[in-house]
Amino acid sequence: WLNTTERMGMETTTLQFPFPYEPYSIQKQFMEALYTTIDEGKIGIFESPTGTGKSLSLICGALTWLRDHEEKKKQEAVGLLEERDVTMDSSSTQPPQGHCSSPALSSSTEPNWIADFVQKKAERELVDKLKVVQNESKQWVLRGEGGFTAFLSDQDEEARRLLRLSAESGEEDGKGAVLGDGEEELIVADYESDDDGKPKNSRTHSQLAQFVHEVQKSPFREEVRVVSLASRQNLCINEEVRRLGSVQLINDRCMEMQRNKHGESDKSTDTEPKRRRREPKAVCPFSRHEALLGLRDETLVKVRDVEDMVVLGRETKACPYYGGRLAVPAAQLVVLPYQVLLHEAMRRASGIKLKDQVVIIDEAHNLMDTIACIYSSEVMGTQLCCAHSQLTQYMERYRNRLKAKNLMYVKQILFVLEGLVHVLGGTEMLTINNFLFRAQIDNINLFKVQRYFEKSLISRKVRGEPGNHLFTLRRRKFFGTCQKVAEEDKQSSVVCPMIQVEGFLSALTNANKDGRLVVQRQGTLAQDSLKFLLLNPAIHFAPVLKECKAVIIAGGTMQPVADFKEQLLLSAGVSEERISGFSCGHVIPPQNILPIVLCSGPSGQELEFTFQNRETPQMETGRVLSNLCNVVPGGLVCFFPSYEYERRVLAHWNSTGVLGRLAARKKIFQEPRKASQVEQVLKEYSRCIQAGAVLSGALLFSVVGGKMSEGINFSDELGRCVIMVGMPYPNIKSPELQEKMAYLDKHMPHVGGQSPGKALVENLCMKAVNQSIGRAIRHRGDYACIVLLDRRYSRPGTLQKLPEWIRNRTQVQPTFGPAFGGIRKVRLALMWYIT
């Protein structure tokens, strides 16, 4: 047990942090700051380098606060109960009406009914207070990945509905159902809009598993109740459904089997005469009521990750997807992916309510990009035309059975689709309003259309339409366009075009200033695209910040922090006083890391890889690498700013013999373009270094922002030296980046005489650099050298954006000699020190 003292106002409280081992001083400071931030209901930005036990500090600090919070609420509840008992006792000892034991009371002019009213009102207030305390004591920690932590108390609506329907239909299993002609479920129910007539991956889940494993190592492992949530694709144990592969196909099939299980039908067909008896439709054998309850209880017995949930589901023959959700109300720690918490619709569908909860977002360095990506949307020309074709056939097939309101909305959607197709054919950037005018759909209330999509489930019903999806449209002008698309894209397999369209139309409901539309010409009409870009992620993060008690944004590398404060917090309406920050150094000794900014190469040529002259220092870079390969043991990882530049440099080195000289010293590996090949390359790279054969280690060429610059650990001998070639600035000519810069220049304050748009470009570059160079140091005994090959890194403003634990030890070397000598000296000293 770690005992620390923290002063809160005038009161001094002793905090006890259970920890699996004697924590480092920075871990103690981290947990103290975390506890205080949560307790005071603030928004905290926490930076703790990878290898310092950040996840374990988050777990122990947050769960310690939860333990104390629950104990405090229990004590409050006991006090209120005692107060209520005293009140009830005093009430029962009062004399009957009209009989007062005290002369003073008997002389009172106050009627007895008033005294009774006051007494009952006091009792009601005590009961209300008790209910509030009891509700607050039901709030538990929830964490997801990147990562999140929040407190949940409400049961998932979908899961609760499933249990109810499963229990109701438990006695009807195996019985045949009296059904219609097989198309009844395709008819949308009678629809009334809310205001009518009224006045008004894969890596994410591996990170989640790593976090759960940290919980299993913590002192809370025997007492904390944990549940891991994930997608159907990751949790499904029905092999028939799993074989579908696609996330959307798996979701559709799962929901279809649930409808079959409960015999659900649309209200619009309730008056239809019953037709012939059909064979029972396929149902999921893992959705039985009793089995789901059993899995729910077993889930909370021990700490389990997603894979453990799948194993448990197979053992109990119960669905881990629905059974896990049923466990949420009783859980203290719920682990789930980014999208479930950040996307409002997914959050609502999962039954997650954030009111007065606590959210911890781990691995949050890409949080703004993640939110922008989640709420951005793209639709292709072939998807628009296919959706129009499907919806037209659907309307014609069921015209006589659709209610008037349904027909009206279906026709509106068809009109919108025609307008979107007519915009295709050029390349331009438009505001939302200008795009709506260009498509001639500015007179359509897209908010009502969006609600219709959500409530009618028209996208899924059109997807289930049993036609052959031929382009049989009757409008002559539009028919010609879609026919052209069909001819250009005969081999294309379009999956769920209406669902894609639904997401795009939802994006168009953003405020005009917060997004842009990119109309992109791709060569053929089928390949042309419409893309919505979210410029202001704060508008979608604001509800999380507003509703939660506290939010912790944590990561190994959060620099530059200014972006998070300005673009994500202050822009969302958070006051400066509510934002707190914490940053700590690394646990490694100072001599275990040597960061060097190298301004020139062995021949004295200046190293500056600007776009205009980046071809010039190619040979000088080769000479630097050759020298480093001679003195650095184990593995070297060399990062290039882009795949194209890497290709050109390696081709040049191959033709000039540089690559051959490097290969004579270390075996060369190159980051693959395909994600499926990364693991194999890493295995061979690791095997080569650990073998210690003829060649002294290995050299790995990688790309900043690629598959090996984030989430891959080059610990110990795998990364004794990390080299950064140039500065990986984003493409300044990108229309998307230019719009983002213009947006920031217009809506954000200028800091230090620099425009927000220019600061964005600098920050994007340095965030990518920080993520890449942080791959080498992974634990206290690790050591490595970091070489930044570009004199521009020596600028004070650029150095300031390096992580503090690297920046404080960085040496700026104008010439190569002293830098090379320092690396040799440190290498020998470290070999002696480690030995």
Side-chain angles (χ1 to χ4, degrees):
W1 291 80
L2 164 66
N3 295 323
T4 61
T5 302
E6 179 176 325
R7 181 169 297 278
M8 301 179 182
M10 298 299 295
E11 181 182 358
T12 300
T13 306
T14 299
L15 298 178
Q16 295 181 323
F17 293 103
F19 217 74
Y21 53 83
E22 178 61 27
Y24 306 127
S25 60
I26 61 173
Q27 289 176 317
K28 299 176 185 179
Q29 298 164 12
F30 186 103
M31 291 186 288
E32 292 173 12
L34 178 66
Y35 190 107
T36 304
T37 302
I38 295 176
D39 201 58
E40 295 178 354
K42 291 187 174 183
I43 311 297
I45 302 177
F46 280 67
E47 181 182 54
S48 181
T50 303
T52 57
K54 170 173 56 67
S55 294
L56 198 55
S57 299
L58 282 171
I59 291 167
C60 294
L63 292 182
T64 298
W65 177 87
L66 178 62
R67 178 201 63 190
D68 296 347
H69 175 76
E70 290 178 343
E71 183 60 32
K72 179 182 177 182
K73 293 304 176 184
K74 288 179 183 177
Q75 293 176 0
E76 289 180 5
V78 170
L80 288 172
L81 285 172
E82 292 176 350
E83 184 180 347
R84 185 181 68 172
D85 291 342
V86 171
T87 303
M88 297 295 290
D89 290 343
S90 63
S91 174
S92 62
T93 56
Q94 287 183 1
Q97 292 185 3
H99 297 275
C100 296
S101 59
S102 167
L105 288 176
S106 61
S107 63
S108 172
T109 59
E110 184 177 87
N112 289 332
W113 67 269
I114 293 182
D116 291 342
F117 173 80
V118 171
Q119 178 66 32
K120 291 179 179 178
K121 182 174 183 293
E123 292 175 6
R124 285 197 302 270
E125 289 176 349
L126 281 173
V127 171
D128 290 341
K129 288 180 181 179
L130 185 58
K131 287 181 179 179
V132 170
V133 171
Q134 289 174 339
N135 288 335
E136 289 179 348
S137 67
K138 292 179 182 178
Q139 299 173 340
W140 314 109
V141 179
L142 163 113
R143 186 225 189 238
E145 200 61 69
F148 303 95
T149 303
F151 294 98
L152 294 181
S153 57
D154 295 305
Q155 184 165 328
D156 179 282
E157 286 293 332
E158 185 180 4
R160 185 162 55 221
R161 173 175 167 274
L162 172 65
L163 262 188
R164 174 177 56 79
L165 290 174
S166 182
E168 291 173 356
S169 63
E171 298 179 357
E172 300 179 4
D173 290 351
K175 296 182 180 180
V178 178
L179 301 174
D181 58 5
E183 299 182 17
E184 298 296 331
E185 65 181 30
L186 297 179
I187 311 300
V188 291
D190 190 11
Y191 178 78
E192 291 293 335
S193 59
D194 294 339
D195 53 358
D196 283 346
K198 297 181 180 180
K200 68 163 158 198
N201 110 40
S202 133
R203 178 170 170 265
T204 296
H205 291 288
S206 66
Q207 288 180 319
L208 293 176
Q210 291 173 13
F211 175 79
V212 174
H213 296 160
E214 290 295 309
V215 177
Q216 292 171 339
K217 294 189 295 185
S218 77
F220 294 92
R221 60 184 176 275
E222 299 296 336
E223 58 186 87
V224 65
R225 298 185 296 277
V226 179
V227 60
S228 297
L229 300 183
S231 65
R232 288 180 174 89
Q233 186 181 38
N234 290 94
L235 287 173
C236 181
I237 59 174
N238 188 325
E239 291 303 322
E240 174 195 341
V241 179
R242 286 173 59 87
R243 282 196 296 266
L244 297 175
S246 164
V247 175
Q248 192 60 58
L249 292 177
I250 290 175
N251 289 342
D252 288 350
R253 182 58 174 159
C254 175
M255 287 185 284
E256 178 187 352
M257 297 178 85
Q258 292 302 324
R259 290 194 298 269
N260 295 343
K261 168 74 176 178
H262 307 304
E264 295 180 16
S265 60
D266 292 300
K267 296 178 181 178
S268 60
T269 63
D270 289 344
T271 60
E272 294 291 327
K274 294 184 178 181
R275 298 186 174 96
R276 64 183 180 278
R277 182 181 297 272
R278 290 174 52 92
E279 292 296 324
K281 295 183 179 181
V283 298
C284 182
F286 304 104
S287 60
R288 292 184 302 108
H289 174 67
E290 296 80 5
L292 289 174
L293 289 180
L295 185 140
R296 176 198 64 182
D297 297 338
E298 286 293 326
T299 296
L300 300 174
V301 171
K302 60 182 291 188
V303 178
R304 306 175 193 270
D305 61 16
V306 172
E307 292 183 0
D308 295 330
M309 290 287 291
V310 171
V311 172
L312 178 62
R314 289 181 175 138
E315 291 175 352
T316 59
K317 299 187 183 306
C319 174
Y321 178 78
Y322 286 108
R325 290 187 173 194
L326 290 175
V328 168
Q332 292 175 298
L333 183 62
V334 184
V335 186
L336 75 166
Y338 263 137
Q339 294 82 351
V340 178
L341 192 64
L342 293 179
H343 195 282
E344 184 179 4
M346 295 183 68
R347 194 165 65 232
R348 187 169 60 247
S350 300
I352 295 177
K353 296 178 175 60
L354 298 179
K355 181 66 175 175
D356 297 327
Q357 320 293 0
V358 175
V359 173
I360 300 179
I361 307 176
D362 195 6
E363 302 298 338
H365 53 275
N366 285 331
L367 180 58
M368 288 190 295
D369 293 337
T370 299
I371 297 174
C373 182
I374 288 174
Y375 284 94
S376 294
S377 180
E378 184 173 17
V379 64
M380 310 294 291
T382 186
Q383 293 172 323
L384 292 172
C385 290
C386 188
H388 190 286
S389 173
Q390 292 177 353
L391 190 57
T392 299
Q393 293 180 74
Y394 177 88
M395 181 182 68
E396 293 177 351
R397 182 184 294 268
Y398 304 115
R399 180 186 295 274
N400 294 332
R401 302 187 60 187
L402 293 173
K403 303 294 184 179
K405 186 69 70 173
N406 279 313
L407 280 173
M408 182 193 75
Y409 277 106
V410 168
K411 290 179 179 179
Q412 280 192 5
I413 296 171
L414 288 171
F415 180 80
V416 170
L417 287 170
E418 293 176 19
L420 297 181
V421 171
H422 291 151
V423 176
L424 296 173
T427 298
E428 56 184 332
M429 180 82 68
L430 299 168
T431 64
I432 297 177
N433 287 345
N434 287 340
F435 177 81
L436 297 177
F437 284 125
R438 180 70 58 84
Q440 298 181 359
I441 57 173
D442 53 293
N443 59 329
I444 300 295
N445 188 331
L446 292 179
F447 291 95
K448 285 188 176 183
V449 172
Q450 181 185 11
R451 285 198 297 271
Y452 178 74
F453 269 111
E454 293 173 355
K455 294 192 174 183
S456 70
L457 302 179
I458 184 67
S459 295
R460 303 189 185 280
K461 295 177 185 295
V462 169
R463 172 178 170 75
E465 207 281 310
N468 58 10
H469 308 323
L470 294 177
F471 294 89
T472 55
L473 310 180
R474 293 182 177 177
R475 290 181 178 85
R476 182 171 300 175
K477 180 179 179 183
F478 190 71
F479 173 77
T481 303
C482 281
Q483 187 177 41
K484 183 179 179 182
V485 170
E487 292 171 353
E488 294 172 346
D489 199 40
K490 287 180 180 178
Q491 304 302 320
S492 175
S493 175
V494 182
V495 179
C496 304
M498 278 301 297
I499 292 179
Q500 197 74 14
V501 168
E502 179 182 349
F504 183 76
L505 294 182
S506 176
L508 294 181
T509 60
N510 281 277
N512 184 58
K513 68 180 181 64
D514 292 330
R516 293 292 183 271
L517 273 301
V518 182
V519 183
Q520 190 72 38
R521 175 69 175 173
Q522 303 287 1
T524 66
L525 196 61
Q527 297 171 329
D528 286 355
S529 65
L530 303 174
K531 185 175 182 179
F532 171 80
L533 300 174
L534 180 68
L535 300 178
N536 182 16
I539 60 171
H540 294 292
F541 197 53
V544 177
L545 298 171
K546 182 179 180 181
E547 295 180 33
C548 290
K549 170 183 173 62
V551 176
I552 306 298
I553 302 172
T557 304
M558 299 299 292
Q559 295 292 337
V561 175
D563 284 359
F564 290 95
K565 291 186 63 175
E566 289 291 342
Q567 299 178 36
L568 203 59
L569 303 182
L570 297 178
S571 296
V574 178
S575 64
E576 186 78 44
E577 296 74 25
R578 198 188 172 201
I579 302 174
S580 65
F582 176 87
S583 179
C584 64
H586 212 291
V587 295
I588 60 171
Q591 68 269 23
N592 281 33
I593 182 173
L594 178 60
I596 294 176
V597 175
L598 190 57
C599 300
S600 61
S603 66
Q605 185 178 29
E606 188 177 73
L607 297 173
E608 184 173 2
F609 296 83
T610 60
F611 184 79
Q612 291 77 13
N613 68 345
R614 62 179 181 170
E615 307 297 331
T616 306
Q618 287 183 356
M619 290 301 295
E620 200 73 353
T621 306
R623 297 185 186 101
V624 172
L625 279 178
S626 295
N627 280 274
L628 291 177
C629 286
N630 288 331
V631 298
V632 175
L636 280 81
V637 184
C638 179
F639 286 100
F640 291 94
S642 69
Y643 284 106
E644 174 60 21
Y645 187 60
E646 177 194 40
R647 183 192 65 78
R648 292 162 65 179
V649 170
L650 295 184
H652 181 71
W653 287 353
N654 188 47
S655 63
T656 56
V658 173
L659 209 56
R661 290 193 293 273
L662 292 174
R665 184 60 180 167
K666 291 182 181 289
K667 186 170 182 179
I668 295 178
F669 294 86
Q670 188 174 354
E671 175 184 318
R673 288 291 192 101
K674 295 181 179 179
S676 60
Q677 300 172 349
V678 170
E679 185 176 355
Q680 182 62 31
V681 171
L682 286 175
K683 284 183 178 179
E684 294 178 4
Y685 172 74
S686 177
R687 189 182 301 116
C688 176
I689 293 174
Q690 294 169 356
V694 179
L695 299 179
S696 175
L699 172 60
L700 174 63
F701 293 122
S702 189
V703 175
V704 176
K707 300 169 184 63
M708 294 184 178
S709 64
E710 190 174 327
I712 304 294
N713 295 338
F714 295 107
S715 60
D716 300 320
E717 294 298 320
L718 297 182
R720 287 304 181 207
C721 183
V722 174
I723 303 126
M724 179 66 60
V725 179
M727 300 187 71
Y729 283 106
N731 181 9
I732 195 66
K733 296 183 179 180
S734 163
E736 292 90 341
L737 181 58
Q738 289 180 349
E739 284 297 322
K740 180 70 174 179
M741 293 172 64
Y743 174 85
L744 294 178
D745 287 341
K746 183 176 181 180
H747 298 283
M748 298 292 164
H750 286 57
V751 179
Q754 188 181 40
S755 71
K758 187 176 180 180
L760 170 69
V761 175
E762 293 279 346
N763 292 341
L764 288 174
C765 171
M766 292 308 298
K767 282 182 180 180
V769 169
N770 293 338
Q771 281 301 309
S772 298
I773 63 179
R775 301 293 97 200
I777 302 293
R778 313 307 289 178
H779 57 83
R780 182 179 179 85
D782 209 351
Y783 63 93
C785 176
I786 298 172
V787 182
L788 304 175
L789 294 184
D790 199 309
R791 72 174 186 84
R792 292 174 294 174
Y793 284 110
S794 64
R795 297 177 302 196
T798 302
L799 282 173
Q800 194 62 31
K801 293 177 181 179
L802 290 170
E804 184 178 1
W805 66 279
I806 294 179
R807 180 177 68 245
N808 292 342
R809 304 168 190 178
T810 299
Q811 300 178 10
V812 177
Q813 296 289 2
T815 58
F816 180 76
F820 185 68
I823 294 173
R824 292 190 63 181
K825 182 178 179 181
V826 168
R827 177 232 177 174
L828 294 173
L830 281 174
M831 289 181 66
W832 176 85
Y833 170 75
I834 297 298
T835 302

